[in-house]
Short mmCIF file of all heavy atoms in Angstrom, two decimals:
data_model
loop_
_atom_site.label_atom_id
_atom_site.label_comp_id
_atom_site.label_asym_id
_atom_site.label_seq_id
_atom_site.Cartn_x
_atom_site.Cartn_y
_atom_site.Cartn_z
N LEU A 85 118.11 146.93 117.10
CA LEU A 85 119.05 146.03 116.43
C LEU A 85 119.15 144.61 116.99
O LEU A 85 119.09 143.68 116.28
CB LEU A 85 120.45 146.64 116.38
CG LEU A 85 121.48 145.99 115.61
CD1 LEU A 85 121.07 145.82 114.07
CD2 LEU A 85 122.77 146.69 115.69
N LYS A 86 119.19 144.61 118.36
CA LYS A 86 119.14 143.16 118.97
C LYS A 86 117.81 142.42 118.70
O LYS A 86 117.82 141.28 118.47
CB LYS A 86 119.30 143.36 120.59
CG LYS A 86 120.69 143.76 120.92
CD LYS A 86 120.75 143.78 122.48
CE LYS A 86 122.16 143.98 122.93
NZ LYS A 86 122.37 143.86 124.39
N MET A 87 116.72 143.11 118.78
CA MET A 87 115.39 142.54 118.45
C MET A 87 115.34 142.00 117.04
O MET A 87 114.83 140.87 116.75
CB MET A 87 114.28 143.44 118.76
CG MET A 87 114.04 143.73 120.20
SD MET A 87 112.90 144.98 120.58
CE MET A 87 111.68 145.03 119.47
N THR A 88 115.93 142.77 116.00
CA THR A 88 115.96 142.43 114.70
C THR A 88 116.89 141.24 114.48
O THR A 88 116.49 140.31 113.79
CB THR A 88 116.35 143.58 113.77
OG1 THR A 88 115.54 144.80 114.13
CG2 THR A 88 116.28 143.23 112.36
N LEU A 89 118.00 141.25 115.16
CA LEU A 89 118.89 140.10 114.89
C LEU A 89 118.37 138.91 115.60
O LEU A 89 118.41 137.74 115.01
CB LEU A 89 120.26 140.44 115.54
CG LEU A 89 121.34 139.38 115.45
CD1 LEU A 89 121.56 138.98 113.99
CD2 LEU A 89 122.68 139.84 116.21
N CYS A 90 117.75 138.97 116.71
CA CYS A 90 117.08 137.83 117.37
C CYS A 90 115.91 137.28 116.57
O CYS A 90 115.91 136.05 116.31
CB CYS A 90 116.60 138.24 118.84
SG CYS A 90 115.81 136.97 119.72
N ALA A 91 115.23 138.11 115.98
CA ALA A 91 114.09 137.59 115.10
C ALA A 91 114.60 136.95 113.87
O ALA A 91 114.07 135.87 113.53
CB ALA A 91 113.19 138.86 114.75
N SER A 92 115.65 137.50 113.33
CA SER A 92 116.30 136.83 112.09
C SER A 92 116.79 135.46 112.45
O SER A 92 116.65 134.54 111.72
CB SER A 92 117.33 137.77 111.59
OG SER A 92 116.81 139.01 111.16
N LEU A 93 117.50 135.33 113.61
CA LEU A 93 118.03 134.11 114.02
C LEU A 93 116.94 133.12 114.40
O LEU A 93 117.12 131.85 114.17
CB LEU A 93 119.01 134.35 115.19
CG LEU A 93 120.32 135.05 114.79
CD1 LEU A 93 121.15 135.38 116.05
CD2 LEU A 93 121.11 134.29 113.75
N VAL A 94 115.84 133.59 115.03
CA VAL A 94 114.71 132.64 115.26
C VAL A 94 114.22 132.09 113.96
O VAL A 94 113.96 130.93 113.87
CB VAL A 94 113.66 133.48 116.09
CG1 VAL A 94 112.35 132.69 116.00
CG2 VAL A 94 114.03 133.67 117.49
N VAL A 95 114.00 132.95 112.90
CA VAL A 95 113.54 132.48 111.68
C VAL A 95 114.43 131.53 111.03
O VAL A 95 114.06 130.36 110.59
CB VAL A 95 113.26 133.68 110.80
CG1 VAL A 95 112.88 133.21 109.24
CG2 VAL A 95 112.09 134.52 111.15
N LEU A 96 115.79 131.75 111.14
CA LEU A 96 116.72 130.77 110.49
C LEU A 96 116.70 129.50 111.26
O LEU A 96 116.74 128.44 110.67
CB LEU A 96 118.09 131.48 110.57
CG LEU A 96 119.30 130.67 110.00
CD1 LEU A 96 119.03 130.45 108.42
CD2 LEU A 96 120.58 131.48 110.09
N SER A 97 116.56 129.55 112.53
CA SER A 97 116.53 128.40 113.32
C SER A 97 115.32 127.53 113.09
O SER A 97 115.35 126.28 112.89
CB SER A 97 116.59 128.58 114.92
OG SER A 97 116.54 127.50 115.63
N VAL A 98 114.21 128.09 112.94
CA VAL A 98 112.93 127.50 112.55
C VAL A 98 113.10 126.74 111.21
O VAL A 98 112.72 125.61 111.06
CB VAL A 98 111.75 128.31 112.59
CG1 VAL A 98 110.43 127.66 111.93
CG2 VAL A 98 111.46 128.89 114.03
N VAL A 99 113.61 127.40 110.20
CA VAL A 99 113.77 126.86 108.94
C VAL A 99 114.67 125.62 108.96
O VAL A 99 114.43 124.60 108.36
CB VAL A 99 114.22 127.91 107.86
CG1 VAL A 99 114.67 127.32 106.54
CG2 VAL A 99 113.08 128.89 107.61
N LEU A 100 115.86 125.90 109.60
CA LEU A 100 116.80 124.79 109.78
C LEU A 100 116.34 123.53 110.46
O LEU A 100 116.54 122.49 110.03
CB LEU A 100 118.11 125.31 110.29
CG LEU A 100 118.98 126.21 109.42
CD1 LEU A 100 120.10 126.82 110.23
CD2 LEU A 100 119.42 125.62 108.19
N SER A 101 115.60 123.78 111.51
CA SER A 101 115.21 122.67 112.38
C SER A 101 113.92 122.06 111.98
O SER A 101 113.78 120.81 112.11
CB SER A 101 115.04 123.06 113.90
OG SER A 101 114.05 124.06 114.02
N ARG A 102 112.97 122.75 111.32
CA ARG A 102 111.66 122.23 111.01
C ARG A 102 111.67 121.76 109.52
O ARG A 102 110.75 120.90 109.21
CB ARG A 102 110.53 123.18 111.29
CG ARG A 102 110.49 123.64 112.73
CD ARG A 102 110.07 122.41 113.60
NE ARG A 102 110.14 122.73 115.00
CZ ARG A 102 109.43 122.23 115.94
NH1 ARG A 102 108.65 121.26 115.60
NH2 ARG A 102 109.65 122.53 117.11
N PHE A 103 112.42 122.18 108.71
CA PHE A 103 112.29 121.89 107.32
C PHE A 103 113.51 121.30 106.73
O PHE A 103 113.43 120.68 105.64
CB PHE A 103 111.88 123.12 106.51
CG PHE A 103 110.54 123.75 107.01
CD1 PHE A 103 110.62 124.95 107.70
CD2 PHE A 103 109.37 123.06 106.76
CE1 PHE A 103 109.38 125.51 108.06
CE2 PHE A 103 108.23 123.63 107.19
CZ PHE A 103 108.23 124.76 107.97
N LEU A 104 114.67 121.51 107.27
CA LEU A 104 115.97 121.01 106.77
C LEU A 104 116.59 120.08 107.77
O LEU A 104 117.69 120.38 108.31
CB LEU A 104 116.88 122.15 106.32
CG LEU A 104 116.36 123.05 105.29
CD1 LEU A 104 117.37 124.22 105.11
CD2 LEU A 104 116.11 122.31 103.98
N PHE A 105 116.05 119.01 108.13
CA PHE A 105 116.53 118.08 109.10
C PHE A 105 116.94 116.71 108.48
O PHE A 105 116.53 116.40 107.36
CB PHE A 105 115.56 117.85 110.25
CG PHE A 105 114.29 117.24 109.88
CD1 PHE A 105 114.07 115.94 109.84
CD2 PHE A 105 113.18 118.10 109.59
CE1 PHE A 105 112.80 115.39 109.53
CE2 PHE A 105 111.95 117.57 109.24
CZ PHE A 105 111.80 116.25 109.14
N PHE A 106 117.64 115.92 109.19
CA PHE A 106 118.08 114.59 108.75
C PHE A 106 118.06 113.65 109.84
O PHE A 106 117.97 114.00 110.96
CB PHE A 106 119.44 114.66 108.07
CG PHE A 106 120.46 115.26 108.95
CD1 PHE A 106 121.36 114.36 109.71
CD2 PHE A 106 120.72 116.58 108.98
CE1 PHE A 106 122.29 114.98 110.48
CE2 PHE A 106 121.70 117.15 109.87
CZ PHE A 106 122.45 116.31 110.65
N VAL A 107 118.01 112.30 109.50
CA VAL A 107 118.02 111.29 110.50
C VAL A 107 119.34 110.47 110.32
O VAL A 107 119.71 110.04 109.17
CB VAL A 107 116.80 110.36 110.25
CG1 VAL A 107 116.83 109.12 111.27
CG2 VAL A 107 115.51 111.17 110.46
N LEU A 108 120.11 110.37 111.48
CA LEU A 108 121.32 109.56 111.37
C LEU A 108 120.95 108.16 111.36
O LEU A 108 119.94 107.72 112.06
CB LEU A 108 122.26 109.89 112.62
CG LEU A 108 122.88 111.33 112.60
CD1 LEU A 108 123.58 111.48 113.95
CD2 LEU A 108 123.83 111.53 111.50
N PRO A 109 121.58 107.28 110.52
CA PRO A 109 121.20 105.89 110.33
C PRO A 109 120.98 105.06 111.60
O PRO A 109 120.11 104.22 111.77
CB PRO A 109 122.22 105.29 109.47
CG PRO A 109 122.89 106.43 108.80
CD PRO A 109 122.77 107.61 109.74
N PHE A 110 121.90 105.21 112.52
CA PHE A 110 121.91 104.34 113.73
C PHE A 110 121.00 104.85 114.93
O PHE A 110 120.92 104.23 115.95
CB PHE A 110 123.36 104.18 114.26
CG PHE A 110 123.99 105.49 114.66
CD1 PHE A 110 123.76 105.96 115.91
CD2 PHE A 110 124.68 106.25 113.73
CE1 PHE A 110 124.39 107.21 116.17
CE2 PHE A 110 125.32 107.40 113.97
CZ PHE A 110 125.14 107.88 115.33
N THR A 111 120.35 106.00 114.71
CA THR A 111 119.52 106.59 115.78
C THR A 111 118.05 106.31 115.64
O THR A 111 117.24 106.81 116.46
CB THR A 111 119.75 108.01 115.87
OG1 THR A 111 119.36 108.69 114.75
CG2 THR A 111 121.24 108.30 116.19
N GLY A 112 117.61 105.60 114.68
CA GLY A 112 116.21 105.28 114.52
C GLY A 112 115.38 106.55 113.97
O GLY A 112 115.64 106.99 112.92
N GLU A 113 114.49 107.00 114.81
CA GLU A 113 113.61 108.05 114.35
C GLU A 113 114.01 109.48 114.83
O GLU A 113 113.26 110.47 114.49
CB GLU A 113 112.18 107.83 114.91
CG GLU A 113 111.58 106.52 114.31
CD GLU A 113 111.48 106.55 112.83
OE1 GLU A 113 110.94 107.57 112.30
OE2 GLU A 113 111.73 105.64 112.20
N SER A 114 115.17 109.56 115.51
CA SER A 114 115.53 110.87 116.00
C SER A 114 115.99 111.76 114.92
O SER A 114 116.74 111.45 113.92
CB SER A 114 116.62 110.73 117.03
OG SER A 114 116.27 110.09 118.13
#
Side-chain angles (χ1 to χ4, degrees):
L85 185 58
K86 284 184 176 186
M87 289 173 28
T88 305
L89 181 59
C90 182
S92 300
L93 291 170
V94 166
V95 169
L96 183 59
S97 177
V98 169
V99 169
L100 289 173
S101 62
R102 299 295 172 156
F103 302 107
L104 300 173
F105 60 87
F106 54 95
V107 177
L108 293 174
F110 59 88
T111 62
E113 297 297 317
S114 292

